[in-house]
């Protein structure tokens, strides 16, 4: 039954890729289509309100400047709201203003689409902050990432000088994709049990006469965009394991589809832009292959359970249930974990800190590779970066100038790609080493032995990959962890985005080389293999030593 | 500030003005209008779930939420899973013990000893691991049907209700997998205990 439910979820996902991908392509191809009649007037009103008179294409520099300035504005507004939330309306539970380093960490975390949470929603945020900061950033950071990915694809597949207009992409991502979908999913979630109210925390008297205080709030509205935007920050401290955020296995499946279908349909969108569907399916196939390998690892590991715990003599046939919920069991828990770290959402429906060592290795590895589907746009961009690297390596082997989609790949592009590829391990491994070498860093580690290394490594990896899940035992609301992960999140988001826009800006201006029989093809099974090989070789080379010290050592010593 | 002429972005300053106005517009649309509209619709057409799926006892008093687990201290009631926060639902959480953490073994051993003391008739190797481990939220409202079943001998002894009737009660309160496939079969502990209380009252 476990395998059957996983297969069903995957099958529906694959069926959704083509229709959703086609819709997304029509949104961003900027050619007239039927949906204009519905959305056109709304968008024209928004363009007027924000003062956007002409929607000319932008060069990559202007595009980058536009998205950076928009993000800076949102960060400033949000920081003010968090610091002053005690003075603002909709604060029925009388929450205080947020401390400086925690506010810094929180706004960075949400604008970078990471949603690492060093606060607990029930006690740290007013309803106004949950709405005007958290939900707002969930829309805008997702729309930013989506826009940049589309701009990158335009650079790869079109000719001219421009890669699109950022503000137009940004507005359309919200009006045509995120707002309508989020509203529908939120209402479906309410129907299945997720609360949506502005009333304060409830107090009830239980049948034994004790008082129970139940935190509640506008949960469903946050829950839907949290997944659709691959954001992942929970309304409550325990995120999607909280029965109000994720009350039934059916809501669990809906949340999985919500976070997975948009990233999974992006390779298809890329194929449409490239006017070659097979290009898109090769990328999708490589992502799905890697995903299935990690899913199998975590499923087998959690079913087998924790040998040390099982030795105490209980009936352990359920699998490793510590840190998991009854309604989800092993199958729905591990599927959620594999998807949330692949799609870099970072919501959790079970506690990743309590996963068995190899079960915890799978999400860690998915975030280290950061291209197995990936979050809003970033995963596709990273995978295409690996694709260009693969073409480059294959070209070196046969002694030809590498080409990708009819453009020569030259030193400038390779240098930018090398920067983007090396930045990711650098901002994970160096800060992890600093955390483990300093008292301020070690103070947060709460588990003894090898697992302590995994905790620090997971936190930095999750920040760099803009995922936001955590080994939540880590006591991370300290100035050291707030500031260090804040910086890592900023670098993780913006270095690769700007480098990739620069690559797109350089490719879009190149002359096209006609395809000949000698052209190395990037739309067949051979390239699928090369792509997976490139990802694994780069990932394994850079991260293996750290992984051996953490989860693998813990696995070998646990008996 | 003649930014209107350059609104498509011909200078850094004009891009900044568009960015600022976009920030404010989307703060209002996504941060205020969207959550308030969904709240309004939900409260109008689905007030029960929108307000937390509250459960009332036979006399009409609200005794909790169907979705949030509770602590049952009295051994004559069915008990839920281990909760490191004693089911205090104002702030969710769990221990987050790593699989290799000695504290995990210590806490579980304590739960096993408590089980042996309260349930001398049921050996530990029949008790599902879920009942003796911490849930993710600390608020898990449900247990597996087998976890309810192993508590029957204790409750039968303490209440005098025959074991057969208790088993039938569990069966009545067992929810199957969603749509027949998704998730696991489960029993809501609060609803089960409400039914048990009613049975005791008669």
């Amino acid at each position: 039954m476990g395998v059957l439910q996983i297969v069903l979820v995957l099958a529906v996902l694959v069926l959704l890729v083509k229709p959703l991908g086609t819709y997304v392509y029509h949104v961003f191809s900027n050619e007239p289509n039927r949906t204009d009649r519905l959305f056109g007037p709304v968008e024209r009103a928004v363009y007027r309100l924000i003062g956007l008179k002409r929607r000319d294409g932008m060069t990559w520099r202007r595009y980058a400047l536009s998205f950076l300035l928009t993000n800076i504005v949102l960060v400033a507004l949000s920081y003010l709201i968090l610091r002053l939330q005690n003075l603002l309306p909709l604060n029925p539970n009388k929450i205080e203003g947020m401390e400086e380093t925690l506010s810094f960490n929180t706004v960075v975390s949400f604008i970078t689409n990471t949603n690492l949470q060093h606060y607990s929603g029930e006690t740290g945020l007013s309803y106004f902050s949950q709405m005007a900061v958290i939900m707002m950033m969930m829309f805008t950071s997702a729309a930013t990432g989506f826009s940049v990915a589309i701009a990158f694809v335009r650079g790869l597949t079109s000719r001219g000088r421009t890669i699109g207009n950022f503000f137009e992409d940004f507005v359309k991502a919200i009006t045509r994709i995120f707002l309508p979908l989020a509203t529908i999913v939120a209402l479906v979630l309410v129907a299945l049990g997720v609360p949506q109210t502005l009333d304060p925390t409830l107090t009830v008297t239980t049948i034994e006469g004790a008082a129970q205080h139940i935190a509640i709030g506008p949960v469903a509205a946050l829950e839907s965009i949290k997944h659709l935007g691959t954001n992942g920050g929970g309304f409550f401290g325990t995120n999607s394991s909280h029965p109000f955020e994720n009350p039934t296995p059916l809501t669990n499946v809906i949340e999985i589809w919500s976070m997975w279908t948009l990233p999974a349909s992006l390779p298809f969108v890329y194929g449409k832009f490239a006017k070659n569907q097979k290009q898109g399916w090769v990328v999708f196939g490589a992502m799905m292959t890697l995903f299935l390998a990690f899913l199998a690892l975590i499923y087998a590991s959690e079913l087998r359970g924790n040998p040390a715990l099982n030795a105490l003599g209980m009936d352990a046939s359920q699998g490793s249930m510590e840190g998991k919920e009854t309604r989800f069991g092993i199958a729905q828990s591990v599927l959620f974990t594999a998807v949330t770290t692949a799609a870099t959402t970072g919501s959790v429906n079970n506690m990743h800190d309590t996963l068995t060592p190899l079960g915890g290795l799978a999400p860690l590895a998915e975030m280290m590779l950061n291209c197995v589907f990936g979050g809003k746009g970033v995963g596709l961009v990273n995978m295409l970066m690996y694709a260009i690297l693969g073409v480059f390596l294959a070209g070196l082997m046969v002694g030809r100038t590498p080409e990708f989609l009819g453009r020569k790949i030259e030193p400038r592009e390779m240098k930018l790609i090398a920067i983007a590829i090396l930045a990711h391990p650098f901002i994970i491994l160096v800060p992890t080493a600093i955390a483990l070498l300093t008292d301020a860093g070690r103070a947060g580690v709460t588990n003894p032995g090898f697992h302590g290394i995994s905790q620090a490594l997971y936190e930095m990896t999750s920040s760099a990959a803009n995922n936001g899940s955590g080994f939540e035992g880590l006591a991370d609301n300290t100035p050291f962890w707030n500031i260090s992960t804040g910086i890592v999140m900023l670098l993780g988001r913006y270095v690769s985005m700007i480098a990739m826009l620069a690559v797109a800006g350089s490719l879009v201006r190149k002359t096209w080389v006609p395809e000949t029989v000698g052209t190395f093809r990037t739309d067949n099974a051979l390239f699928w293999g090369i792509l997976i090989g490139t990802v694994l070789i780069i990932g394994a080379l850079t991260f293996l030593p750290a992984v051996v010290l953490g989860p693998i050592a813990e696995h070998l010593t646990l008996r | 500030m003649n930014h209107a002429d350059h609104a498509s972005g011909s200078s850094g300053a004009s891009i900044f003005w568009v960015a600022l106005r976009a920030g404010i517009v989307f703060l209002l649309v996504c941060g205020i209008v969207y959550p308030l509209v969904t709240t309004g619709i939900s409260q109008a057409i689905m007030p029960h779930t929108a307000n937390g799926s509250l459960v009332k006892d036979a006399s009409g008093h609200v005794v909790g939420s169907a979705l949030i687990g509770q602590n049952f201290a009295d051994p004559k009631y069915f008990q839920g899973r281990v909760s490191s926060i004693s089911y205090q639902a104002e702030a969710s959480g769990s221990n987050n013990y790593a699989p290799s953490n000695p504290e995990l073994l210590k806490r579980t051993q304590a739960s096993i000893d408590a089980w042996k003391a309260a349930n001398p008739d049921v050996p530990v190797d029949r008790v599902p691991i879920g009942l003796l481990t911490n849930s993710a939220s600390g608020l898990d409202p449900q247990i597996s049907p087998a976890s309810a079943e192993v508590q029957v001998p204790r409750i039968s002894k303490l209440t005098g209700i025959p074991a057969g009737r208790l088993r039938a009660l569990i069966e009545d309160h067992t929810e199957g997998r969603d749509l027949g496939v998704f998730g696991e079969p489960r029993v809501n502990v609060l609803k089960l205990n409400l039914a048990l209380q009613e049975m005791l009252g008669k």
Side-chain angles (χ1 to χ4, degrees):
Chain A
M1 214 55 172
V3 175
L4 177 66
Q5 41 183 303
I6 290 174
V7 169
L8 270 176
V9 174
L10 291 178
V12 172
L13 173 92
V14 172
L15 288 177
L16 285 172
V17 162
K18 197 172 167 185
L20 193 66
T22 309
Y23 178 73
V24 171
Y25 171 75
H26 284 308
V27 170
F28 293 108
S29 68
N30 293 338
E31 288 154 9
N33 69 77
R34 276 176 302 165
T35 50
D36 288 343
R37 238 187 301 164
L38 186 59
F39 296 108
V42 181
E43 283 153 6
R44 282 194 291 278
V46 174
Y47 297 144
R48 263 200 305 283
L49 279 174
I50 66 176
L52 187 71
K53 285 282 161 61
R54 301 203 317 266
R55 303 195 295 281
D56 309 352
M58 295 173 164
T59 61
W60 78 266
R61 283 201 174 82
R62 198 159 294 287
Y63 202 99
L65 184 68
S66 305
F67 95 76
L68 282 176
L69 284 175
T70 307
N71 284 10
I72 289 169
V73 167
L74 296 171
V75 160
L77 291 172
S78 302
Y79 185 82
L80 283 178
I81 295 175
L82 289 183
R83 299 279 290 141
L84 301 175
Q85 62 179 353
N86 51 329
L87 307 174
L88 291 166
L90 284 177
N91 186 8
N93 295 324
K94 306 273 177 291
I95 310 273
E96 290 296 304
M98 194 182 264
E99 178 265 331
E100 297 97 330
T101 63
L102 184 57
S103 301
F104 163 74
N105 186 279
T106 303
V107 295
V108 167
S109 167
F110 280 85
I111 197 64
T112 57
N113 204 250
T114 311
N115 295 213
L116 196 70
Q117 294 172 291
H118 288 178
Y119 62 90
S120 193
E122 297 96 317
T123 51
L125 289 180
S126 70
Y127 289 169
F128 188 77
S129 298
Q130 292 273 22
M131 290 162 45
V133 175
I134 303 302
M135 291 184 212
M136 180 277 284
M137 286 237 201
M138 285 180 166
F139 279 99
T140 50
S141 68
T144 303
F146 220 76
S147 303
V148 169
I150 295 291
F152 180 70
V153 169
R154 285 197 194 110
L156 236 49
T157 56
S158 65
R159 48 188 106 193
R161 289 185 61 84
T162 86
I163 52 174
N165 182 298
F166 170 73
F167 292 108
E168 184 179 17
D169 291 343
F170 180 78
V171 169
K172 284 169 110 180
I174 292 178
T175 53
R176 297 198 185 199
I177 298 175
F178 293 119
L179 257 185
L181 282 178
T183 309
I184 295 167
V185 172
L187 294 176
V188 171
L189 289 177
V190 175
L192 293 170
V194 180
Q196 178 69 24
T197 171
L198 297 175
D199 288 345
T201 297
L202 312 167
T203 300
V204 299
T205 306
T206 67
I207 51 181
E208 290 192 328
Q212 188 184 34
H213 307 284
I214 303 177
I216 196 166
V219 186
L222 184 147
E223 203 62 25
S224 64
I225 186 60
K226 158 180 147 188
H227 287 109
L228 287 164
T230 65
N231 294 284
F235 191 93
F236 301 105
T238 56
N239 212 300
S240 281
S241 72
H242 194 293
F244 273 167
E245 287 204 23
N246 195 357
T248 67
L250 198 55
T251 58
N252 196 56
V253 170
I254 290 172
E255 290 176 16
I256 288 174
W257 285 327
S258 299
M259 64 173 135
W260 202 7
T261 44
L262 280 168
S265 65
L266 272 179
F268 183 85
V269 177
Y270 156 70
K272 288 279 263 190
F273 270 102
K275 308 246 179 317
N276 180 350
Q277 300 289 327
K278 274 159 83 187
Q279 298 278 1
W281 288 115
V282 164
V283 170
F284 180 86
M287 289 174 167
M288 189 54 104
T289 309
L290 289 166
F291 174 83
L292 290 176
F294 290 121
L295 177 64
L297 173 66
I298 179 173
Y299 189 40
S301 185
E302 294 306 302
L303 266 188
R304 174 174 168 266
N306 176 351
L309 197 58
N310 296 354
L312 297 179
M314 304 154 287
D315 173 6
S317 57
Q318 274 177 297
S320 177
M321 285 303 287
E322 172 76 15
K324 295 194 181 62
E325 298 279 298
T326 307
R327 58 196 179 281
F328 304 138
I330 300 297
Q332 288 292 332
S333 295
V334 300
L335 183 60
F336 197 97
T337 292
V339 173
T340 195
T341 46
T344 76
T345 308
S347 55
V348 296
N349 81 348
N350 65 93
M351 291 298 122
H352 289 188
D353 219 352
T354 60
L355 289 170
T356 57
L358 294 185
L361 172 63
L364 189 60
E366 284 185 305
M367 295 189 296
M368 286 170 166
L369 300 180
N370 203 15
C371 61
V372 184
F373 295 106
K376 275 294 126 340
V378 180
L380 175 70
V381 170
N382 284 340
M383 195 51 126
L384 291 176
M385 187 165 83
Y386 279 110
I388 297 175
L389 189 67
V391 165
F392 177 73
L393 294 176
L396 283 184
M397 283 188 260
V398 296
R400 279 180 55 95
T401 311
E403 291 161 16
F404 189 66
L405 299 182
R407 253 80 62 92
K408 282 197 162 55
I409 305 298
E410 289 169 307
R412 178 180 153 81
E413 291 82 56
M414 286 319 299
K415 280 181 197 156
L416 287 164
I417 286 174
I419 290 174
I421 284 190
L422 289 176
H424 187 60
F426 185 83
I427 60 175
I428 292 174
L429 298 175
V430 173
T432 303
I434 294 173
L436 292 173
L437 288 172
T438 53
D439 291 334
R442 279 199 306 265
V445 171
T446 53
N447 278 296
F450 301 113
H451 193 84
I453 297 175
S454 304
Q455 277 188 303
L457 181 64
Y458 193 100
E459 186 79 357
M460 292 302 179
T461 308
S462 174
S463 303
N466 296 143
N467 179 280
S469 64
F471 273 14
E472 285 301 335
L474 189 73
D476 48 20
N477 182 15
T478 63
F480 174 86
W481 284 101
N482 284 339
I483 294 170
S484 63
T485 53
I487 295 169
V488 170
M489 287 187 277
L490 285 173
L491 293 173
R493 177 85 166 172
Y494 294 109
V495 169
S496 73
M497 270 193 175
I498 293 171
M500 287 302 100
L501 280 180
V503 171
S506 142
L507 286 178
V508 78
R509 287 194 293 201
K510 284 187 191 242
T511 39
W512 288 46
V513 266
E515 198 172 288
T516 64
V517 280
T519 304
F520 180 67
R521 300 194 66 87
T522 55
D523 59 355
N524 54 18
L526 174 65
F527 189 68
W528 167 82
I530 289 179
L531 190 51
I532 293 175
T534 311
V535 169
L536 287 181
I537 289 168
I538 302 291
L541 276 181
T542 39
F543 290 111
L544 195 61
V547 166
V548 167
L549 285 176
I552 293 181
E554 189 186 6
H555 173 72
L556 294 175
T557 51
L558 188 68
R559 52 186 95 243
Chain B
M1 223 181 359
N2 186 15
H3 57 270
D5 300 339
H6 309 287
S8 69
S10 50
S11 77
S14 67
I15 293 181
F16 175 75
W17 283 112
V18 176
L20 182 66
R21 289 167 71 166
I24 293 168
V25 166
F26 284 107
L27 179 78
L28 293 174
V29 172
C30 303
I32 313 270
V33 175
Y34 157 74
L36 291 184
V37 166
T38 39
T39 306
I41 299 175
S42 307
Q43 289 291 335
I45 60 177
M46 300 172 279
H48 174 68
T49 49
N51 290 313
S53 309
L54 298 178
V55 175
K56 292 176 178 166
D57 65 8
S59 58
H61 290 120
V62 174
V63 292
S65 162
L67 298 177
I68 302 292
Q70 291 186 0
N71 209 21
F72 292 97
D74 191 332
K76 76 171 193 252
Y77 286 119
F78 286 95
Q79 272 152 22
R81 299 183 62 189
V82 177
S83 167
S84 56
I85 53 168
S86 331
Y87 291 97
Q88 288 173 24
E90 60 265 45
S92 55
S94 92
N95 288 124
N96 271 297
Y97 287 146
S100 59
N101 194 323
E103 293 297 319
L104 173 65
L105 299 183
K106 229 186 272 175
R107 192 204 67 210
T108 312
Q109 189 59 53
S111 300
I112 290 176
D113 295 341
W115 174 269
K116 284 179 180 160
N119 303 273
D121 306 326
V122 183
V124 172
D125 62 7
R126 279 191 50 214
V127 184
I129 191 166
L131 195 58
L132 300 174
T133 48
N134 204 330
S135 64
S137 60
L139 301 171
D140 197 339
Q142 292 143 343
I143 53 178
S144 68
S147 301
E149 159 77 19
V150 291
Q151 302 189 45
V152 163
R154 179 190 79 229
I155 295 169
S156 174
K157 211 192 276 177
L158 290 173
T159 59
I161 300 173
R165 282 187 65 198
L166 288 173
R167 291 209 175 87
L169 196 68
I170 294 172
E171 204 166 314
D172 285 347
H173 285 82
T174 300
E175 285 173 70
R177 297 170 196 269
D178 286 12
L179 307 181
V181 271
F182 296 122
E184 304 296 325
R186 55 211 187 267
V187 184
N188 186 301
V189 183
L190 173 59
K191 288 184 182 169
L192 185 64
N193 280 334
L194 270 178
L196 178 66
Q197 192 192 35
E198 218 167 295
M199 212 179 244
L200 288 171
K202 273 174 199 162

